[in-house]
């Protein structure tokens, strides 16, 4: 094997991986959006068989010897190739540690459990989902034990979703958030509540869909490469590369903001993915480095930009044009207040920017205990409800609006939730830096995302997974990670909104 | 290898094929329904890579020796296994004759050309599609020459879509149709035209979609296994097995009947596919034996049942309920007349039952000459327009409503069109037989498809591809194929509709 030949084969291998990923991503996307309800078994079998093929390609002798050769010649590789080899080897080493049967069975379990979760949520019946979730927890612990026997399983998974993360860091991070957010919520609750009446308008799905496409264009998505679907739980998926990206939303007839902000949130993910440099397509470096950085982008567009006062001034006339009856008698400031009304509530995805992190903390707390074996899956609903009362002061009326609300656990994403809060905090630091060179408010008032997107593209998006999250963060901000930048952002925003005097 | 082991491996092989087919079918379906417009390149690469994998599985030494072993032991196989081996060997022999590079390139060509055709149709620009169609024609001739060098290419492809078909038989079949249909059209044109005013109502897509789902339920589709999508050109696709089937439709704001009958037509395909015996899932016998028999079912539901007077009596109150304004002042008989108005027109899929076969004959004529090298692809639009004038007396205003209207050629389905006309003729013979034991009109007036579907299921659907088309036809009807049964059906129906006296 000569080096050039090996480099070519490295690209061919990644293209093949991308093709299988495309098929699998599309199967998952289809299952969550348009597939008929009783087709999960069919999809499960296909995913099982294709996963087996992927496993065999990834762990086959040919692949292993290629990567070993390239690793031995790493000094002769360029920066991108080096990182590709590093990530591929990490992936193979992990796969090799998991017996193939278990790997396949786990992929199939996720398909089955996704279908069961949908039905269980619809019926608000946790007992139906419980045996599947037990299996997922058991599998995730087992996989962690295979891949990183030296770690506690939950630490392994936290690090999978955000390189460098573990319980110790998460605990400290959430402690900082708690120390600032809880007293702020208390002060907000002493003030007169903002009205969100205007968002409760009943708008038919097809009209909300028009707004969704309008928003996608406004934030700068290329609709030639980014599609929109409808699903129970909004998500974003890449079809094998950043050249084909899908976002999804969920239309509610009693809450106009729900789909609006889902679209902007998922749109942020899609901007990040589709902003990858063209040369990264079909490689392991394509489409974003970590879930924390990913959520920093989605939550940045959703909240920092989407719930910004200047942006509401731009947005309101568009809502008036699309929903003239429903908007009658309101103005842009009403919209700004309505979409920022802070109120302890039941549903994470529809919660406001201020209370959001408490929803995440509850999930973190529960995941930590379940993965450590300190809490049985069976007892999750009870503990969920207890913590919602304790942290947010709300009574959970049923599991549909409680422990079954999120799709993450059914998808094997235990350890993912903290990345939402991390993303919020990253985003606040990005904003502070961005404001040094971009007049964010002035641009948002014009609905002009070009400079904002270019800032993100040139500093974050284009690199895909080339840099580790911590390295990228440092490159972008020139600073250490400091969650108080985020809590200060919240304090300033909410004190202004609710007329609270800032503490000295 | 022992026999039981070989039989097990036969099933495993077919499951693997089904998984890849599922992925490919879904990629095509996605491309035609929800994929963003500029993603064809991405899809093309994935389809190319997965097709290569399929090719390697199908023609690999392991598969070949398995099938040779089973073929040598064919007397020890049951009927289903025998037919599986026969079809798989036929498939492999053909694949082995096509060099892998060309096979892959052809699959990719079809993806590219589908995307280009969509754009060309939108822009009514044949020149844009021409180079792709030239490549498709060249590839299809080449493939025919590899697989059946003893045949003329067009005969090879006719037989691919309907086993047993060739130009000679097609010529004779179309001659019979022409001899009866052309004079009948002339008589109809002498009579006062029926009104289709009620169908021109402007109904928004989301309301038409409601009707679409209602129709799917009425004709007996299981919505748990059959989905509905929106596309430029309606089609039906199986996702690897009959357990996951998708039909598609196209909503027009100026023609309510368009989507209605697309849904019933595609629904007929889906009934046939999903009616396969459960044991055929994931085997090569799943989902219908030939395109002619397939079209016999789709055209049966669309026309023989869907455009039946008794069914219109059942359907009209439903339209009244869904579109009260648009239906005001009309009755069931108006609906029956409107959906059966016979009139030479431009668009095949929206043409009436009587003139439909002339649309097919034009395509047959053109395909025959293009595949024989007697007509250049470049000259297709001109010849298309000339034949539309000659056969149907209409002037084609642009290629969008002319040579670019159908998706078939861009999908490599040259030789497919005759199966529509064959399907019509098969269906008329099936109807005559069905009426011996089922009171079709009485059931349709109640919207009760149970006996009709059971008749089809037990005689046709359940067998999948177990029997060759001609054998199946003989089993169902106990007769030889006789296209005058169809022309008689047309004569009776249209003489009644237009008040024409039947000839002695």
């Amino acid at each position: 094997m000569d080096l050039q030949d090996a480099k070519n084969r490295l690209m061919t291998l990644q293209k093949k991986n991308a093709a299988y990923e495309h098929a699998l991503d599309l199967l998952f996307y289809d299952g969550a959006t348009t597939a008929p309800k009783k087709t999960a078994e069919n999809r499960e079998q296909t995913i099982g068989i294709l996963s087996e093929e992927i496993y065999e390609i990834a762990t086959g002798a040919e692949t292993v010897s290629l990567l070993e050769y390239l690793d031995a010649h790493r000094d002769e590789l360029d920066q991108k190739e080096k990182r590709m080899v590093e990530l591929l080897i990490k992936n193979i080493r992990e796969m090799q540690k998991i017996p193939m049967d278990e790997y396949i069975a786990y992929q199939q379990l996720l398909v089955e459990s996704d279908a069961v979760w949908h039905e269980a949520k619809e019926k608000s019946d946790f007992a139906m989902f419980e045996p599947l979730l037990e299996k997922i927890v058991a599998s995730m612990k087992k996989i962690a034990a295979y891949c990183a026997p030296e770690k506690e399983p939950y630490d392994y998974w936290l690090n999978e979703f955000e390189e460098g993360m573990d319980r110790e860091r998460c605990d400290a991070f959430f402690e900082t958030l708690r120390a600032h957010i809880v007293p702020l919520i208390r002060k907000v609750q002493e003030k007169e509540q903002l009205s969100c009446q205007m968002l409760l308008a009943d708008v038919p799905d097809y009209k909300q869909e028009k707004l969704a496409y309008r928003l996608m264009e406004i934030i700068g998505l290329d609709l030639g490469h980014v599609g929109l679907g409808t699903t129970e739980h909004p998500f974003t998926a890449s079809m094998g590369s950043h050249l084909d990206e899908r976002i999804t939303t969920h239309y509610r007839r009693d809450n106009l903001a729900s789909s609006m902000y889902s679209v902007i949130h998922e749109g942020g993910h899609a901007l990040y993915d589709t902003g990858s440099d063209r040369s990264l397509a079909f490689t392991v470096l394509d489409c974003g480095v970590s879930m924390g950085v990913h959520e920093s982008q989605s939550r940045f567009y959703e909240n920092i930009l989407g719930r910004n006062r200047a942006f509401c001034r731009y947005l309101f006339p568009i809502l008036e044009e699309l929903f003239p009856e429903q908007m009658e008698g309101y103005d842009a400031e009403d919209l700004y207040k309505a979409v920022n009304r802070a109120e302890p509530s039941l549903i994470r995805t529809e919660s406001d920017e201020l209370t959001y992190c408490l929803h995440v903390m509850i999930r973190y707390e529960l995941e930590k205990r379940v993965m450590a074996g300190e809490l049985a899956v069976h007892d999750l609903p009870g503990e969920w409800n207890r913590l919602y009362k304790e942290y947010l002061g709300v009574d959970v009326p049923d599991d549909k609006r409680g422990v079954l609300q999120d799709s993450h656990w059914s998808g094997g994403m235990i350890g993912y939730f903290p990345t939402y809060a991390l993303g919020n905090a990253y985003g606040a630091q990005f904003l502070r830096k961005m404001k040094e060179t971009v007049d964010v408010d002035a641009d948002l008032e014009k609905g002009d995302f070009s400079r904002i997107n270019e800032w993100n593209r040139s500093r974050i998006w284009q690199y895909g997974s080339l840099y580790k999250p911590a390295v990228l963060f440092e490159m972008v901000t020139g600073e250490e990670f400091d969650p108080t930048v985020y809590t200060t952002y919240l304090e300033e925003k909410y004190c202004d909104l609710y007329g609270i005097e800032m503490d000295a």
Side-chain angles (χ1 to χ4, degrees), chain A residues 50 63 87 128 137 174 182 208 217 255 339 345 386 393 442 468 491:
Chain A
L50 295 182
T63 305
L87 288 173
M128 185 177 205
V137 169
F174 282 126
V182 170
Q208 293 195 49
E217 279 175 335
N255 185 350
V339 301
S345 65
R386 194 183 64 73
K468 291 184 187 186
E491 281 155 359

Side-chain angles (χ1 to χ4, degrees), chain A residues 388-404:
Chain A
Y388 261 80
K389 188 73 185 173
E390 185 185 320
Y391 282 41
L392 285 154
V394 298
D395 292 304
V396 177
D398 50 41
D399 291 341
K400 184 189 172 93
R401 284 171 284 184
V403 69
L404 289 173

Side-chain angles (χ1 to χ4, degrees), chain A residues 53-112:
Chain A
E53 302 281 296
I54 291 180
Y55 185 95
E56 281 175 1
I57 294 165
T59 60
E62 209 181 327
T63 305
V64 172
S65 72
L66 171 68
L67 292 173
E68 279 171 356
Y69 174 89
L70 286 164
D71 195 35
H73 292 76
R74 53 181 292 109
D75 293 343
E76 297 159 70
L77 303 179
D78 68 23
Q79 188 192 14
K80 284 180 192 167
E81 290 161 345
K82 249 182 228 167
R83 177 76 171 156
M84 287 171 192
V85 172
E86 178 191 330
L87 288 173
L88 285 166
I89 288 180
K90 176 178 179 291
N91 181 30
I92 288 183
R93 292 223 171 107
E94 297 202 339
M95 267 201 184
Q96 283 176 322
K97 289 175 186 163
I98 310 168
M100 186 172 86
D101 290 356
E102 292 190 29
Y103 174 80
I104 312 295
Y106 180 60
Q107 298 303 319
Q108 290 178 313
L109 172 63
L110 297 184
V111 180
E112 187 193 349

